[in-house]
């Protein structure tokens, strides 16, 4: 009795949280997942065709019943917006559809029984019918395949897209490469930094940690803009390099890969330093002296004692930086060149530029999947670690 | 295997303006067990850290087997160190912890296994070789640390208050264990402690520290029975100190007259001048209580102020002419009554006279 009441009370207490998660997390996520595989443009306008064409074997020109159903659907379609969507969708599957439909639509609207083949020779070409058959299903994997530069041919087999027609695979690869480079840079700087911060005390430690934390409290946009100022041709760094006579031409530091790596490393460094530092701070101070007294040279003591003990922090830092890096948008967009845009920028382009929500969602799914896989790795590794250390 | 002698030659250490060890000379023979005993902050750890190579020497020389080690890095000094909080490697199991110094020396696997097992057997922990340090009790961890510091047969073993974190019973057991291991291996041990009982129990010799200087170095008997100065007399064990003036000082036999005119006789180191101020130190367990003035030896009138039962003995607090006195009585001896006037008697051999 009281148990049930308590449970109800508990449910009431977490209701705001559940509502928040539902509205701002699960619902958008579900929508995105649905978007990435939904393809209603054709099936919506051609309900009869969808039903009829399912049984067609795809050989030659479809039988008259199917042609008849298609003509009826077109005759009945009154929503011009929906028809426009359908034409765009079909044209992207088979070029030439737009002009074909421009010709066919008025004719069918006038007379449902018009003979399609005599109206336009293209209707005798099976490829157009196959395109319709491929597009009537409300579900599609074409967006997901396109993220990896794959497509289905007329026969439904998965093929590589013709070279140069899609850059999605290259951009995903680039995103992973840039993220990996940034993660490595963060590790190379962050590990010694965290070690120094953990080995000093008092005001020195406060200053070192403050220097890492300060950027974290500054807006991302401001930090990126600051790099913009520092890195440009007439910026501080180039000014110094030319002033000191190290180079006579300004070095190109911005709008290229180098600029992106520098700025992202700076922005993400705290996520490497803090987890490593927090683990190092828990390591007893006399383990390294103990290792030395037992005959370990500094480097061996580092490998055999400090590094294994710091591994959990290093792992957290690496995954945190990498997972954040693959979703980065503002920094590459501002300090990168055209060839340094990462997956997020492409998603933005699909979403706001070409209104291709399906592609934007599919790339989002890829990003989400990558992150989840990494997160699972992290969970697994840190569990192993916990088991081993307990 | 012969064990190494250590020599500190005028060694000093300063942190900025803070002089922590000052002009220290100390000779430790090979195979000797020497305790550094002193209050907290007296520089014992600092001296040990310099010997281990964790801290630089500000001035002076440290020699091991006659060779200067000032500039030799820790990892080449070949000294086992046992820390107060064990400093075991948490990510390695017990066997790997003990194997660590052998692996650092590039020993073969079979040899390592054999040596590790022997070392763990010595500290009676062989059955726990696959556990992690966190799964062991404090006493067990300290024994692992001991095995790890001994397994590579170092020239010297240094221990910095290794038993400080253990409870009394375990501490006393470990004292005996370490003593037995020292006897068996004959290794040179430098042992830091602030516990005078521990130093007395374990050491061949004790170096008593105060303010970065050695106040006295000697066997447990010497530092207890013949303290060199007031600090040592008060730091090691309990004592009654009586102030007076030297009346006669002949070899061995010295007489002091106290402020109330009482004359007592005792022993003293050479060099006490007639007429100089002196302190007579009488250990509480060497004094007796008498109802009437005893015929022989020294006697002081006093009044009983309190009687405390201590288990192994009875402590009697007294008010003398010159302040508070304490006597430890056997339980078989008759107890006086509180408030009773008594005579406190002691032999000249049990009265040690030092300069204040
Ligand atoms: N790294 C250091 N920096 C400054 N002062 C120190 C340092 N290490 C020890 N000291 C000082 O040196 C003195 C002696 O310390 P220590 O050798 O640890 O004494 P003990 O071990 O006898 O208790 C203390 O006053 C301590 O504050
Ligand atoms: Mg100390």
């Amino acid at each position: 009795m009281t148990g049930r009441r308590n449970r109800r009370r508990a449910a009431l207490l977490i209701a705001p949280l559940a509502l928040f998660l539902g509205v701002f997390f699960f619902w958008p996520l579900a929508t995105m997942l649905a978007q990435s595989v939904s393809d209603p443009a054709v099936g919506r306008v051609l309900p009869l065709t969808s039903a009829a064409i399912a049984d067609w074997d795809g050989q030659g020109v479809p039988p008259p019943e199917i042609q008849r159903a298609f003509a009826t659907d077109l005759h009945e379609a009154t929503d011009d917006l929906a028809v426009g969507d359908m034409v765009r969708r079909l044209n992207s599957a088979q070029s030439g559809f737009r002009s074909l439909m421009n010709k066919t639509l008025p004719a069918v609207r006038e007379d449902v029984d018009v003979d399609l083949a005599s109206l336009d020779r293209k209707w005798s070409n099976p490829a157009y019918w196959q395109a319709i058959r491929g597009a009537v299903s409300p579900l599609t994997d074409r967006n997901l395949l396109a993220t990896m530069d794959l497509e289905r041919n007329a026969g439904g087999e998965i093929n590589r897209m013709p070279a140069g027609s899609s850059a999605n695979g290259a951009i995903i690869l680039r995103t992973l490469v840039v993220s990996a480079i940034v993660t490595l840079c963060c590790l190379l700087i962050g590990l010694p930094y965290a070690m120094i911060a953990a080995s000093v005390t008092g005001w020195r430690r406060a200053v070192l940690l403050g220097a890492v934390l300060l950027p974290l409290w500054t807006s991302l946009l401001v930090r990126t803009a600051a790099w913009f100022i520092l890195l440009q041709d007439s910026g501080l760094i180039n000014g110094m390099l030319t002033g000191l006579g190290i180079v006579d031409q300004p070095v190109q530091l911005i709008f290229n890969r180098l600029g992106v790596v520098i700025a992202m490393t700076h922005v993400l460094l705290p996520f490497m330093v803090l987890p490593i530092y927090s683990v190092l701070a828990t390591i007893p101070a006399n383990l390294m002296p103990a290792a030395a007294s037992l005959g370990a040279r500094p480097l061996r003591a580092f490998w055999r004692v400090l590094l294994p003990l710091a591994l959990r922090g290093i792992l957290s830092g690496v995954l945190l930086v990498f997972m954040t890096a693959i979703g980065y948008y503002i920094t590459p967009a501002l300090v990168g060149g055209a060839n340094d845009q990462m997956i997020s920028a492409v998603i933005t382009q699909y979403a706001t530029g070409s209104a291709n929500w399906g592609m934007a969602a599919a790339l989002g799914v890829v990003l989400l999947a990558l992150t989840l896989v990494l997160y699972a790795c992290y969970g697994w590794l840190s569990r192993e670690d916990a088991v081993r250390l307990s | 295997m012969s064990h190494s002698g250590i020599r500190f030659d005028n060694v000093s250490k300063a942190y900025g303006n803070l002089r922590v060890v000052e002009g220290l000379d100390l000779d430790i023979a090979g195979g000797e067990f020497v305790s550094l005993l002193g209050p907290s902050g007296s520089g014992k750890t600092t001296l040990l850290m310099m010997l281990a190579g964790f801290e630089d020497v500000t001035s002076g020389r440290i020699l091991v087997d006659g060779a200067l080690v000032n500039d030799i890095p820790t990892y080449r000094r070949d000294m086992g160190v046992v820390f107060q909080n064990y400093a075991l490697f948490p990510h390695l199991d017990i066997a790997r912890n003990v194997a660590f110094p052998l692996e650092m020396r590039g020993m073969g696997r079979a040899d390592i296994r054999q040596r590790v097992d022997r070392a763990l057997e010595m500290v009676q922990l062989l059955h726990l070789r696959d556990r992690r340090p966190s799964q062991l009790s404090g006493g067990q961890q300290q024994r692992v640390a001991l095995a790890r510091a001994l397994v590579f047969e170092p020239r010297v073993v240094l221990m910095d208050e290794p038993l400080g974190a253990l409870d009394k019973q375990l501490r006393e057991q470990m004292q005996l264990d370490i003593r037995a291991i020292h006897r068996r291996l004959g290794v040179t041990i430098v042992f830091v402690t602030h516990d005078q009982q521990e130093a007395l129990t374990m050491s061949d010799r004790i170096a008593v520290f105060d303010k970065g200087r050695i106040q006295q170095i000697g066997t447990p008997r010497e530092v207890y029975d013949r303290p060199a100065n007031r600090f040592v007399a008060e730091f090691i064990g309990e004592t009654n100190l009586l102030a007076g003036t030297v009346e006669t000082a002949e070899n061995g036999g010295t007489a002091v007259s106290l402020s109330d005119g009482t004359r007592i006789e005792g022993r003293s180191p050479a060099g006490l001048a007639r007429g100089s101020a002196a302190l007579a130190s009488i250990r509480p367990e060497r004094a007796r209580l008498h109802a009437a003035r005893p015929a022989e030896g020294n006697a002081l009138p006093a009044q009983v102020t309190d009687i405390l039962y201590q288990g192994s003995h009875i402590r009697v607090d007294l008010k003398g002419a010159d302040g508070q006195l304490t006597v430890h009585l056997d339980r078989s001896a008759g107890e006086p009554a509180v408030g009773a006037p008594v005579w406190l008697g002691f032999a000249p051999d049990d009265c040690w006279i030092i300069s204040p």
Side-chain angles (χ1 to χ4, degrees), chain A residues 362-387:
Chain A
L363 283 168
V365 168
V366 170
L367 205 54
L368 183 67
L370 277 173
T371 312
L372 286 179
V373 166
L374 287 171
Y375 189 69
C377 287
Y378 173 59
W380 184 72
L381 283 172
S382 52
R383 196 202 48 135
E384 283 289 281
D385 210 36
V387 168

Side-chain angles (χ1 to χ4, degrees), chain A residues 283-298 300-301 303-309 387-390, chain B residues 54 74-76 78-81 83 85 87-92 96-97 100-101 103-105 132 134-135 148-149 152:
Chain A
I283 299 178
N286 57 14
L287 289 190
M288 291 302 274
S293 76
L294 296 169
R297 291 164 175 277
R300 286 198 82 183
W303 273 109
R304 293 289 307 274
V305 178
L306 202 65
L307 203 60
L309 288 173
V387 168
R388 217 157 40 76
L389 279 179
S390 70
Chain B
F54 300 142
T74 300
Y75 59 85
R76 277 205 263 123
D78 198 31
M79 295 179 182
V81 181
F83 297 84
N85 55 356
L88 296 179
F89 303 128
H91 60 300
L92 302 177
R96 291 293 302 279
N97 261 283
F100 190 90
E103 285 170 14
M104 291 304 121
R105 284 162 176 78
R132 299 224 165 236
S134 58
Q135 296 169 304
R148 188 179 67 174
F152 60 103

